[in-house]
Short mmCIF file of all heavy atoms in Angstrom, two decimals:
data_model
loop_
_atom_site.label_atom_id
_atom_site.label_comp_id
_atom_site.label_asym_id
_atom_site.label_seq_id
_atom_site.Cartn_x
_atom_site.Cartn_y
_atom_site.Cartn_z
N MET A 164 8.38 -4.85 10.24
CA MET A 164 7.34 -3.95 9.83
C MET A 164 7.78 -3.26 8.54
O MET A 164 8.92 -2.89 8.38
CB MET A 164 7.06 -2.92 10.91
CG MET A 164 6.04 -1.91 10.49
SD MET A 164 5.63 -0.66 11.70
CE MET A 164 4.99 -1.68 13.00
N ILE A 165 6.85 -3.07 7.64
CA ILE A 165 7.12 -2.37 6.39
C ILE A 165 6.50 -0.98 6.53
O ILE A 165 5.29 -0.84 6.62
CB ILE A 165 6.50 -3.13 5.20
CG1 ILE A 165 7.13 -4.52 5.09
CG2 ILE A 165 6.70 -2.36 3.90
CD1 ILE A 165 6.45 -5.43 4.10
N ASP A 166 7.33 0.06 6.54
CA ASP A 166 6.83 1.43 6.73
C ASP A 166 6.35 2.07 5.45
O ASP A 166 5.42 2.86 5.46
CB ASP A 166 7.91 2.31 7.37
CG ASP A 166 8.09 2.01 8.84
OD1 ASP A 166 7.07 1.84 9.53
OD2 ASP A 166 9.25 1.94 9.28
N PHE A 167 7.01 1.76 4.33
CA PHE A 167 6.54 2.27 3.05
C PHE A 167 7.05 1.38 1.93
O PHE A 167 7.98 0.60 2.11
CB PHE A 167 6.94 3.73 2.81
CG PHE A 167 8.41 3.95 2.57
CD1 PHE A 167 8.95 3.85 1.30
CD2 PHE A 167 9.25 4.26 3.62
CE1 PHE A 167 10.30 4.05 1.08
CE2 PHE A 167 10.60 4.48 3.42
CZ PHE A 167 11.12 4.37 2.14
N LEU A 168 6.39 1.49 0.78
CA LEU A 168 6.82 0.82 -0.44
C LEU A 168 7.05 1.87 -1.50
O LEU A 168 6.23 2.78 -1.67
CB LEU A 168 5.74 -0.15 -0.93
CG LEU A 168 5.41 -1.33 -0.02
CD1 LEU A 168 4.21 -2.09 -0.58
CD2 LEU A 168 6.61 -2.25 0.11
N GLN A 169 8.16 1.75 -2.21
CA GLN A 169 8.46 2.66 -3.31
C GLN A 169 8.77 1.80 -4.52
O GLN A 169 9.67 0.97 -4.49
CB GLN A 169 9.64 3.55 -2.96
CG GLN A 169 9.88 4.64 -3.96
CD GLN A 169 10.81 5.71 -3.42
OE1 GLN A 169 10.96 5.86 -2.23
NE2 GLN A 169 11.44 6.42 -4.32
N GLY A 170 7.99 1.99 -5.57
CA GLY A 170 8.18 1.19 -6.77
C GLY A 170 7.28 1.67 -7.88
O GLY A 170 7.04 2.87 -8.02
N ILE A 171 6.74 0.73 -8.65
CA ILE A 171 5.89 1.03 -9.80
C ILE A 171 4.47 0.58 -9.49
O ILE A 171 4.24 -0.52 -9.01
CB ILE A 171 6.41 0.31 -11.07
CG1 ILE A 171 7.85 0.71 -11.36
CG2 ILE A 171 5.50 0.58 -12.26
CD1 ILE A 171 8.04 2.17 -11.68
N TYR A 172 3.51 1.46 -9.78
CA TYR A 172 2.09 1.13 -9.64
C TYR A 172 1.75 0.13 -10.74
O TYR A 172 1.63 0.47 -11.90
CB TYR A 172 1.29 2.42 -9.75
CG TYR A 172 -0.20 2.30 -9.66
CD1 TYR A 172 -0.85 1.20 -9.13
CD2 TYR A 172 -0.99 3.34 -10.11
CE1 TYR A 172 -2.22 1.13 -9.04
CE2 TYR A 172 -2.37 3.29 -10.03
CZ TYR A 172 -2.98 2.18 -9.50
OH TYR A 172 -4.35 2.12 -9.42
N ALA A 173 1.60 -1.14 -10.36
CA ALA A 173 1.50 -2.22 -11.34
C ALA A 173 0.08 -2.64 -11.69
O ALA A 173 -0.18 -3.04 -12.83
CB ALA A 173 2.28 -3.44 -10.84
N HIS A 174 -0.84 -2.60 -10.74
CA HIS A 174 -2.17 -3.16 -10.99
C HIS A 174 -3.15 -2.63 -9.95
O HIS A 174 -2.77 -2.38 -8.82
CB HIS A 174 -2.09 -4.69 -10.92
CG HIS A 174 -3.31 -5.40 -11.39
ND1 HIS A 174 -3.69 -5.43 -12.71
CD2 HIS A 174 -4.24 -6.10 -10.72
CE1 HIS A 174 -4.81 -6.13 -12.82
NE2 HIS A 174 -5.16 -6.55 -11.61
N THR A 175 -4.42 -2.52 -10.35
CA THR A 175 -5.48 -2.14 -9.42
C THR A 175 -6.31 -3.38 -9.11
O THR A 175 -6.68 -4.13 -10.01
CB THR A 175 -6.40 -1.06 -10.04
OG1 THR A 175 -5.59 0.05 -10.43
CG2 THR A 175 -7.44 -0.60 -9.05
N LEU A 176 -6.60 -3.58 -7.84
CA LEU A 176 -7.42 -4.69 -7.36
C LEU A 176 -8.75 -4.14 -6.86
O LEU A 176 -8.88 -2.93 -6.65
CB LEU A 176 -6.70 -5.41 -6.21
CG LEU A 176 -5.31 -5.96 -6.52
CD1 LEU A 176 -4.63 -6.42 -5.24
CD2 LEU A 176 -5.41 -7.09 -7.52
N PRO A 177 -9.74 -4.98 -6.61
CA PRO A 177 -11.02 -4.48 -6.09
C PRO A 177 -10.89 -3.74 -4.75
O PRO A 177 -11.63 -2.80 -4.49
CB PRO A 177 -11.86 -5.75 -5.91
CG PRO A 177 -11.29 -6.72 -6.89
CD PRO A 177 -9.82 -6.41 -6.94
N THR A 178 -9.93 -4.14 -3.92
CA THR A 178 -9.79 -3.51 -2.60
C THR A 178 -8.42 -2.87 -2.40
O THR A 178 -8.05 -2.55 -1.26
CB THR A 178 -10.02 -4.54 -1.48
OG1 THR A 178 -9.06 -5.59 -1.60
CG2 THR A 178 -11.42 -5.10 -1.53
N GLY A 179 -7.66 -2.67 -3.46
CA GLY A 179 -6.34 -2.07 -3.29
C GLY A 179 -5.54 -2.06 -4.57
O GLY A 179 -6.10 -2.00 -5.66
N ILE A 180 -4.22 -2.13 -4.41
CA ILE A 180 -3.32 -2.06 -5.56
C ILE A 180 -2.17 -3.05 -5.39
O ILE A 180 -1.98 -3.61 -4.30
CB ILE A 180 -2.73 -0.65 -5.74
CG1 ILE A 180 -1.84 -0.27 -4.55
CG2 ILE A 180 -3.83 0.38 -5.94
CD1 ILE A 180 -1.04 1.01 -4.75
N ILE A 181 -1.41 -3.24 -6.45
CA ILE A 181 -0.16 -3.99 -6.38
C ILE A 181 0.96 -3.03 -6.74
O ILE A 181 0.90 -2.33 -7.76
CB ILE A 181 -0.16 -5.19 -7.34
CG1 ILE A 181 -1.22 -6.20 -6.90
CG2 ILE A 181 1.23 -5.86 -7.38
CD1 ILE A 181 -1.36 -7.40 -7.82
N VAL A 182 1.97 -3.00 -5.89
CA VAL A 182 3.16 -2.18 -6.13
C VAL A 182 4.31 -3.11 -6.45
O VAL A 182 4.62 -4.02 -5.68
CB VAL A 182 3.50 -1.32 -4.89
CG1 VAL A 182 4.74 -0.48 -5.14
CG2 VAL A 182 2.33 -0.43 -4.50
N ASP A 183 4.94 -2.91 -7.61
CA ASP A 183 6.09 -3.70 -8.02
C ASP A 183 7.35 -3.03 -7.46
O ASP A 183 7.70 -1.93 -7.86
CB ASP A 183 6.16 -3.75 -9.54
CG ASP A 183 7.33 -4.56 -10.07
OD1 ASP A 183 8.34 -4.73 -9.36
OD2 ASP A 183 7.24 -5.01 -11.22
N VAL A 184 7.99 -3.72 -6.52
CA VAL A 184 9.23 -3.21 -5.92
C VAL A 184 10.36 -4.15 -6.35
O VAL A 184 10.49 -5.25 -5.82
CB VAL A 184 9.13 -3.14 -4.38
CG1 VAL A 184 10.42 -2.60 -3.79
CG2 VAL A 184 7.94 -2.29 -3.95
N ASN A 185 11.09 -3.74 -7.37
CA ASN A 185 12.20 -4.54 -7.91
C ASN A 185 11.79 -5.96 -8.24
O ASN A 185 12.48 -6.92 -7.89
CB ASN A 185 13.37 -4.53 -6.93
CG ASN A 185 13.98 -3.16 -6.77
OD1 ASN A 185 14.06 -2.40 -7.73
ND2 ASN A 185 14.37 -2.82 -5.55
N GLY A 186 10.65 -6.12 -8.90
CA GLY A 186 10.21 -7.43 -9.36
C GLY A 186 9.37 -8.22 -8.38
O GLY A 186 8.92 -9.31 -8.70
N VAL A 187 9.11 -7.68 -7.19
CA VAL A 187 8.25 -8.33 -6.20
C VAL A 187 6.97 -7.51 -6.09
O VAL A 187 7.01 -6.31 -5.82
CB VAL A 187 8.93 -8.44 -4.82
CG1 VAL A 187 7.99 -9.07 -3.80
CG2 VAL A 187 10.23 -9.22 -4.92
N GLY A 188 5.82 -8.15 -6.32
CA GLY A 188 4.53 -7.45 -6.25
C GLY A 188 3.93 -7.51 -4.87
O GLY A 188 3.64 -8.60 -4.37
N TYR A 189 3.75 -6.36 -4.25
CA TYR A 189 3.15 -6.28 -2.92
C TYR A 189 1.70 -5.84 -3.06
O TYR A 189 1.42 -4.80 -3.65
CB TYR A 189 3.89 -5.25 -2.05
CG TYR A 189 5.27 -5.69 -1.64
CD1 TYR A 189 6.38 -5.40 -2.43
CD2 TYR A 189 5.48 -6.41 -0.47
CE1 TYR A 189 7.65 -5.79 -2.07
CE2 TYR A 189 6.75 -6.81 -0.09
CZ TYR A 189 7.83 -6.50 -0.90
OH TYR A 189 9.08 -6.90 -0.54
N GLY A 190 0.78 -6.62 -2.50
CA GLY A 190 -0.62 -6.24 -2.46
C GLY A 190 -0.86 -5.31 -1.29
O GLY A 190 -0.46 -5.62 -0.16
N VAL A 191 -1.48 -4.17 -1.55
CA VAL A 191 -1.72 -3.16 -0.53
C VAL A 191 -3.20 -2.80 -0.54
O VAL A 191 -3.73 -2.39 -1.57
CB VAL A 191 -0.87 -1.89 -0.79
CG1 VAL A 191 -1.10 -0.87 0.31
CG2 VAL A 191 0.60 -2.23 -0.91
N GLU A 192 -3.86 -2.98 0.58
CA GLU A 192 -5.27 -2.60 0.73
C GLU A 192 -5.36 -1.08 0.84
O GLU A 192 -4.62 -0.47 1.62
CB GLU A 192 -5.87 -3.24 1.98
CG GLU A 192 -5.70 -4.74 2.07
CD GLU A 192 -6.90 -5.49 1.57
OE1 GLU A 192 -8.00 -4.91 1.54
OE2 GLU A 192 -6.73 -6.66 1.22
N MET A 193 -6.26 -0.47 0.06
CA MET A 193 -6.45 0.98 0.09
C MET A 193 -7.90 1.30 -0.21
O MET A 193 -8.55 0.60 -0.98
CB MET A 193 -5.57 1.67 -0.96
CG MET A 193 -4.10 1.57 -0.73
SD MET A 193 -3.16 2.47 -1.99
CE MET A 193 -3.36 4.14 -1.41
N PRO A 194 -8.41 2.41 0.36
CA PRO A 194 -9.77 2.83 0.00
C PRO A 194 -9.81 3.36 -1.43
O PRO A 194 -8.81 3.86 -1.96
CB PRO A 194 -10.09 3.93 1.01
CG PRO A 194 -8.77 4.41 1.51
CD PRO A 194 -7.82 3.25 1.38
N LEU A 195 -10.97 3.26 -2.05
CA LEU A 195 -11.12 3.73 -3.43
C LEU A 195 -10.82 5.21 -3.56
O LEU A 195 -10.31 5.66 -4.59
CB LEU A 195 -12.53 3.43 -3.94
CG LEU A 195 -12.86 1.94 -4.14
CD1 LEU A 195 -14.32 1.78 -4.55
CD2 LEU A 195 -11.94 1.32 -5.16
N SER A 196 -11.13 5.99 -2.53
CA SER A 196 -10.85 7.43 -2.59
C SER A 196 -9.35 7.71 -2.72
O SER A 196 -8.94 8.64 -3.39
CB SER A 196 -11.42 8.13 -1.36
OG SER A 196 -10.85 7.59 -0.18
N ALA A 197 -8.53 6.89 -2.08
CA ALA A 197 -7.07 7.05 -2.18
C ALA A 197 -6.57 6.54 -3.53
O ALA A 197 -5.70 7.15 -4.15
CB ALA A 197 -6.37 6.32 -1.04
N ILE A 198 -7.13 5.43 -4.00
CA ILE A 198 -6.73 4.88 -5.29
C ILE A 198 -7.00 5.88 -6.41
O ILE A 198 -6.20 6.02 -7.35
CB ILE A 198 -7.43 3.53 -5.56
CG1 ILE A 198 -6.95 2.48 -4.55
CG2 ILE A 198 -7.19 3.05 -6.99
CD1 ILE A 198 -7.73 1.18 -4.60
N ALA A 199 -8.09 6.62 -6.30
CA ALA A 199 -8.45 7.61 -7.32
C ALA A 199 -7.42 8.73 -7.42
O ALA A 199 -7.33 9.40 -8.45
CB ALA A 199 -9.82 8.18 -7.03
N GLN A 200 -6.62 8.95 -6.38
CA GLN A 200 -5.63 10.02 -6.37
C GLN A 200 -4.25 9.57 -6.84
O GLN A 200 -3.32 10.37 -6.90
CB GLN A 200 -5.52 10.60 -4.96
CG GLN A 200 -6.80 11.22 -4.46
CD GLN A 200 -6.64 11.72 -3.06
OE1 GLN A 200 -5.67 12.41 -2.74
NE2 GLN A 200 -7.58 11.37 -2.19
N LEU A 201 -4.10 8.29 -7.15
CA LEU A 201 -2.80 7.75 -7.55
C LEU A 201 -2.47 8.15 -8.99
O LEU A 201 -3.35 8.45 -9.78
CB LEU A 201 -2.81 6.23 -7.43
CG LEU A 201 -2.96 5.68 -6.02
CD1 LEU A 201 -3.04 4.16 -6.07
CD2 LEU A 201 -1.82 6.11 -5.13
N PRO A 202 -1.17 8.12 -9.33
CA PRO A 202 -0.79 8.37 -10.72
C PRO A 202 -1.25 7.22 -11.62
O PRO A 202 -1.80 6.23 -11.15
CB PRO A 202 0.74 8.45 -10.65
CG PRO A 202 1.10 7.66 -9.45
CD PRO A 202 -0.03 7.83 -8.48
N ALA A 203 -1.01 7.33 -12.90
CA ALA A 203 -1.40 6.30 -13.86
C ALA A 203 -0.63 5.00 -13.62
O ALA A 203 0.47 5.00 -13.06
CB ALA A 203 -1.15 6.80 -15.27
N LEU A 204 -1.23 3.90 -14.06
CA LEU A 204 -0.54 2.60 -13.99
C LEU A 204 0.81 2.70 -14.69
O LEU A 204 0.93 3.35 -15.72
CB LEU A 204 -1.37 1.51 -14.64
CG LEU A 204 -2.59 1.03 -13.86
CD1 LEU A 204 -3.42 0.09 -14.73
CD2 LEU A 204 -2.18 0.35 -12.58
N GLY A 205 1.81 2.05 -14.12
CA GLY A 205 3.15 2.06 -14.70
C GLY A 205 4.02 3.20 -14.22
O GLY A 205 5.20 3.25 -14.54
N GLU A 206 3.45 4.12 -13.45
CA GLU A 206 4.20 5.27 -12.93
C GLU A 206 4.84 4.95 -11.58
O GLU A 206 4.34 4.10 -10.84
CB GLU A 206 3.27 6.48 -12.78
CG GLU A 206 2.73 7.01 -14.08
CD GLU A 206 3.81 7.62 -14.95
OE1 GLU A 206 4.69 8.32 -14.42
OE2 GLU A 206 3.76 7.39 -16.17
N PRO A 207 5.92 5.65 -11.22
CA PRO A 207 6.53 5.47 -9.90
C PRO A 207 5.56 5.92 -8.80
O PRO A 207 4.75 6.83 -9.00
CB PRO A 207 7.75 6.39 -9.93
CG PRO A 207 8.01 6.67 -11.36
CD PRO A 207 6.69 6.57 -12.06
N ILE A 208 5.66 5.24 -7.64
CA ILE A 208 4.74 5.51 -6.55
C ILE A 208 5.43 5.25 -5.21
O ILE A 208 6.34 4.41 -5.13
CB ILE A 208 3.48 4.63 -6.70
CG1 ILE A 208 2.38 5.08 -5.75
CG2 ILE A 208 3.79 3.18 -6.50
CD1 ILE A 208 1.06 4.39 -6.03
N LYS A 209 5.02 5.96 -4.20
CA LYS A 209 5.47 5.71 -2.82
C LYS A 209 4.22 5.66 -1.96
O LYS A 209 3.43 6.61 -1.93
CB LYS A 209 6.41 6.80 -2.33
CG LYS A 209 6.92 6.53 -0.92
CD LYS A 209 7.96 7.57 -0.51
CE LYS A 209 8.55 7.26 0.84
NZ LYS A 209 9.62 8.22 1.20
N ILE A 210 4.03 4.54 -1.28
CA ILE A 210 2.86 4.32 -0.43
C ILE A 210 3.33 4.04 0.99
O ILE A 210 4.16 3.15 1.22
CB ILE A 210 2.04 3.10 -0.93
CG1 ILE A 210 1.53 3.33 -2.35
CG2 ILE A 210 0.90 2.78 0.01
CD1 ILE A 210 0.49 4.41 -2.47
N TRP A 211 2.84 4.80 1.94
CA TRP A 211 3.11 4.55 3.36
C TRP A 211 2.21 3.40 3.79
O TRP A 211 1.05 3.32 3.38
CB TRP A 211 2.83 5.80 4.18
CG TRP A 211 3.81 6.87 3.83
CD1 TRP A 211 3.65 7.85 2.89
CD2 TRP A 211 5.12 7.03 4.36
NE1 TRP A 211 4.78 8.62 2.81
CE2 TRP A 211 5.70 8.14 3.72
CE3 TRP A 211 5.85 6.36 5.33
CZ2 TRP A 211 6.98 8.58 4.00
CZ3 TRP A 211 7.12 6.80 5.62
CH2 TRP A 211 7.68 7.90 4.96
N THR A 212 2.72 2.50 4.60
CA THR A 212 1.96 1.30 4.93
C THR A 212 1.89 1.04 6.44
O THR A 212 2.76 1.47 7.20
CB THR A 212 2.57 0.05 4.27
OG1 THR A 212 3.91 -0.12 4.73
CG2 THR A 212 2.54 0.15 2.77
N HIS A 213 0.84 0.34 6.79
CA HIS A 213 0.69 -0.22 8.14
C HIS A 213 0.62 -1.72 7.96
O HIS A 213 -0.20 -2.22 7.17
CB HIS A 213 -0.57 0.30 8.82
CG HIS A 213 -0.90 -0.43 10.07
ND1 HIS A 213 -0.17 -0.28 11.23
CD2 HIS A 213 -1.86 -1.33 10.35
CE1 HIS A 213 -0.68 -1.05 12.16
NE2 HIS A 213 -1.70 -1.70 11.65
N THR A 214 1.47 -2.46 8.65
CA THR A 214 1.48 -3.92 8.57
C THR A 214 0.54 -4.48 9.62
O THR A 214 0.68 -4.19 10.81
CB THR A 214 2.90 -4.46 8.80
OG1 THR A 214 3.80 -3.82 7.90
CG2 THR A 214 2.95 -5.97 8.58
N TYR A 215 -0.43 -5.26 9.18
CA TYR A 215 -1.42 -5.87 10.07
C TYR A 215 -1.14 -7.37 10.11
O TYR A 215 -1.16 -8.03 9.07
CB TYR A 215 -2.83 -5.61 9.53
CG TYR A 215 -3.93 -6.28 10.29
CD1 TYR A 215 -4.43 -5.72 11.45
CD2 TYR A 215 -4.48 -7.47 9.83
CE1 TYR A 215 -5.46 -6.33 12.15
CE2 TYR A 215 -5.52 -8.09 10.52
CZ TYR A 215 -5.99 -7.51 11.68
OH TYR A 215 -7.00 -8.13 12.37
N GLN A 216 -0.88 -7.89 11.30
CA GLN A 216 -0.56 -9.31 11.44
C GLN A 216 -1.44 -9.94 12.51
O GLN A 216 -1.56 -9.43 13.61
CB GLN A 216 0.90 -9.50 11.81
CG GLN A 216 1.30 -10.94 11.91
CD GLN A 216 2.78 -11.11 12.20
OE1 GLN A 216 3.52 -10.14 12.30
NE2 GLN A 216 3.20 -12.34 12.36
N ARG A 217 -2.04 -11.07 12.15
CA ARG A 217 -2.81 -11.90 13.07
C ARG A 217 -2.25 -13.31 12.97
O ARG A 217 -1.34 -13.58 12.21
CB ARG A 217 -4.28 -11.90 12.68
CG ARG A 217 -4.95 -10.56 12.85
CD ARG A 217 -5.14 -10.23 14.27
NE ARG A 217 -6.53 -10.35 14.62
CZ ARG A 217 -7.04 -9.90 15.72
NH1 ARG A 217 -6.27 -9.31 16.59
NH2 ARG A 217 -8.29 -10.05 15.99
N GLU A 218 -2.84 -14.22 13.70
CA GLU A 218 -2.33 -15.60 13.70
C GLU A 218 -2.24 -16.19 12.30
O GLU A 218 -1.28 -16.86 11.96
CB GLU A 218 -3.26 -16.48 14.56
CG GLU A 218 -3.38 -16.03 15.98
CD GLU A 218 -4.81 -16.05 16.49
OE1 GLU A 218 -5.71 -16.50 15.76
OE2 GLU A 218 -5.01 -15.60 17.62
N ASN A 219 -3.25 -15.96 11.48
CA ASN A 219 -3.30 -16.57 10.15
C ASN A 219 -3.42 -15.54 9.02
O ASN A 219 -3.89 -15.86 7.94
CB ASN A 219 -4.46 -17.56 10.07
CG ASN A 219 -5.79 -16.87 10.31
OD1 ASN A 219 -5.84 -15.73 10.74
ND2 ASN A 219 -6.87 -17.58 10.03
N GLN A 220 -3.02 -14.31 9.29
CA GLN A 220 -3.24 -13.26 8.31
C GLN A 220 -2.13 -12.22 8.37
O GLN A 220 -1.67 -11.84 9.44
CB GLN A 220 -4.57 -12.59 8.65
CG GLN A 220 -5.23 -11.88 7.55
CD GLN A 220 -6.60 -11.40 7.97
OE1 GLN A 220 -6.73 -10.69 8.97
NE2 GLN A 220 -7.62 -11.79 7.24
N LEU A 221 -1.69 -11.77 7.20
CA LEU A 221 -0.72 -10.69 7.09
C LEU A 221 -1.19 -9.77 5.97
O LEU A 221 -1.35 -10.20 4.84
CB LEU A 221 0.68 -11.24 6.78
CG LEU A 221 1.79 -10.22 6.61
CD1 LEU A 221 2.03 -9.47 7.92
CD2 LEU A 221 3.06 -10.90 6.17
N LYS A 222 -1.46 -8.49 6.30
CA LYS A 222 -1.96 -7.54 5.31
C LYS A 222 -1.18 -6.24 5.42
O LYS A 222 -0.69 -5.87 6.47
CB LYS A 222 -3.44 -7.22 5.56
CG LYS A 222 -4.38 -8.34 5.22
CD LYS A 222 -5.80 -7.87 5.35
CE LYS A 222 -6.75 -8.96 4.90
NZ LYS A 222 -8.14 -8.48 4.88
N LEU A 223 -1.12 -5.55 4.29
CA LEU A 223 -0.56 -4.20 4.25
C LEU A 223 -1.70 -3.24 3.91
O LEU A 223 -2.44 -3.47 2.95
CB LEU A 223 0.52 -4.08 3.18
CG LEU A 223 1.82 -4.81 3.42
CD1 LEU A 223 2.72 -4.68 2.20
CD2 LEU A 223 2.52 -4.26 4.64
N PHE A 224 -1.83 -2.19 4.71
CA PHE A 224 -2.79 -1.14 4.44
C PHE A 224 -2.02 0.09 4.00
O PHE A 224 -1.05 0.47 4.65
CB PHE A 224 -3.65 -0.85 5.68
CG PHE A 224 -4.58 -1.97 6.02
CD1 PHE A 224 -4.21 -2.94 6.94
CD2 PHE A 224 -5.81 -2.07 5.40
CE1 PHE A 224 -5.06 -3.98 7.25
CE2 PHE A 224 -6.67 -3.12 5.70
CZ PHE A 224 -6.30 -4.08 6.62
N GLY A 225 -2.44 0.71 2.90
CA GLY A 225 -1.68 1.80 2.31
C GLY A 225 -2.30 3.17 2.51
O GLY A 225 -3.52 3.31 2.59
N PHE A 226 -1.42 4.18 2.59
CA PHE A 226 -1.80 5.56 2.79
C PHE A 226 -0.99 6.44 1.85
O PHE A 226 0.18 6.16 1.59
CB PHE A 226 -1.55 5.98 4.24
CG PHE A 226 -2.22 5.07 5.23
CD1 PHE A 226 -1.54 3.97 5.75
CD2 PHE A 226 -3.52 5.28 5.61
CE1 PHE A 226 -2.15 3.12 6.65
CE2 PHE A 226 -4.15 4.43 6.50
CZ PHE A 226 -3.47 3.35 7.02
N LEU A 227 -1.58 7.52 1.38
CA LEU A 227 -0.89 8.42 0.47
C LEU A 227 0.13 9.31 1.17
O LEU A 227 1.13 9.68 0.60
CB LEU A 227 -1.90 9.30 -0.27
CG LEU A 227 -2.89 8.53 -1.15
CD1 LEU A 227 -3.88 9.50 -1.78
CD2 LEU A 227 -2.16 7.74 -2.20
N ARG A 228 -0.14 9.65 2.41
CA ARG A 228 0.76 10.52 3.18
C ARG A 228 1.09 9.85 4.51
O ARG A 228 0.28 9.12 5.07
CB ARG A 228 0.09 11.87 3.47
CG ARG A 228 -0.32 12.62 2.25
CD ARG A 228 -1.01 13.92 2.56
NE ARG A 228 -2.01 13.75 3.61
CZ ARG A 228 -2.37 14.69 4.48
NH1 ARG A 228 -1.81 15.87 4.43
NH2 ARG A 228 -3.30 14.46 5.37
N GLN A 229 2.27 10.12 5.00
CA GLN A 229 2.68 9.55 6.28
C GLN A 229 1.75 10.01 7.40
O GLN A 229 1.47 9.27 8.33
CB GLN A 229 4.13 9.92 6.59
CG GLN A 229 4.67 9.22 7.81
CD GLN A 229 6.13 9.55 8.06
OE1 GLN A 229 6.65 10.53 7.57
NE2 GLN A 229 6.78 8.72 8.83
N LEU A 230 1.26 11.25 7.31
CA LEU A 230 0.36 11.78 8.33
C LEU A 230 -0.97 11.03 8.39
O LEU A 230 -1.63 11.00 9.42
CB LEU A 230 0.10 13.26 8.09
CG LEU A 230 1.29 14.18 8.26
CD1 LEU A 230 0.91 15.61 7.86
CD2 LEU A 230 1.79 14.15 9.70
N ASP A 231 -1.37 10.44 7.26
CA ASP A 231 -2.63 9.68 7.23
C ASP A 231 -2.51 8.34 7.94
O ASP A 231 -3.50 7.72 8.29
CB ASP A 231 -3.06 9.42 5.79
CG ASP A 231 -3.40 10.70 5.05
OD1 ASP A 231 -3.75 11.69 5.72
OD2 ASP A 231 -3.29 10.70 3.81
N LYS A 232 -1.30 7.89 8.13
CA LYS A 232 -1.03 6.60 8.76
C LYS A 232 -1.11 6.75 10.27
O LYS A 232 -0.24 7.31 10.91
CB LYS A 232 0.37 6.13 8.34
CG LYS A 232 0.79 4.83 8.93
CD LYS A 232 2.20 4.51 8.46
CE LYS A 232 2.78 3.41 9.29
NZ LYS A 232 4.13 3.07 8.90
N VAL A 233 -2.20 6.28 10.84
CA VAL A 233 -2.40 6.36 12.29
C VAL A 233 -2.37 4.95 12.84
O VAL A 233 -3.16 4.11 12.46
CB VAL A 233 -3.76 7.02 12.62
CG1 VAL A 233 -3.96 7.08 14.12
CG2 VAL A 233 -3.84 8.39 12.00
N CYS A 234 -1.41 4.69 13.68
CA CYS A 234 -1.26 3.33 14.22
C CYS A 234 -1.45 3.33 15.73
O CYS A 234 -1.10 4.19 16.42
CB CYS A 234 0.10 2.77 13.88
SG CYS A 234 0.38 2.69 12.11
#
C-alpha cells in the first residue's frame, strides 16, 4: 500500500495529477476542488493516497490532508 507520495507536482490530468518521485511519475486521481488548492507546477508536494486494487485495475486516489483520507 502507498500511504503518501512526496515529490514534484509534474503535470495536471483531466482527472488528477502526476507526481514525480525521484524520476518515477505516479498518476493520482483527485477531484478538481483539491487540484485547485495545489501549489504551482514544478513545486514540491505531498499527497496522501488510498491504493485501490481490483482484479484488472490499480489506482491511486489522492488527498490533501491525512484526515481527508477515509478508508
Side-chain angles (χ1 to χ4, degrees):
M164 177 179 299
I165 299 171
D166 286 317
F167 70 87
L168 296 173
Q169 188 166 338
I171 303 297
Y172 179 18
H174 190 69
T175 304
L176 302 170
T178 60
I180 64 170
I181 295 177
V182 180
D183 180 336
V184 181
N185 294 323
V187 178
Y189 290 89
V191 182
E192 306 264 338
M193 294 182 78
L195 292 176
S196 59
I198 293 172
Q200 298 178 48
L201 295 176
L204 286 172
E206 294 292 320
I208 192 171
K209 182 174 184 176
I210 299 292
W211 294 92
T212 60
H213 169 72
T214 307
Y215 175 82
Q216 182 177 358
R217 294 288 253 192
E218 301 136 4
N219 61 348
Q220 202 174 56
L221 179 64
K222 288 187 176 186
L223 291 175
F224 291 94
F226 306 92
L227 299 177
R228 301 178 314 150
Q229 187 177 19
L230 294 175
D231 295 336
K232 179 181 166 181
V233 179
C234 300

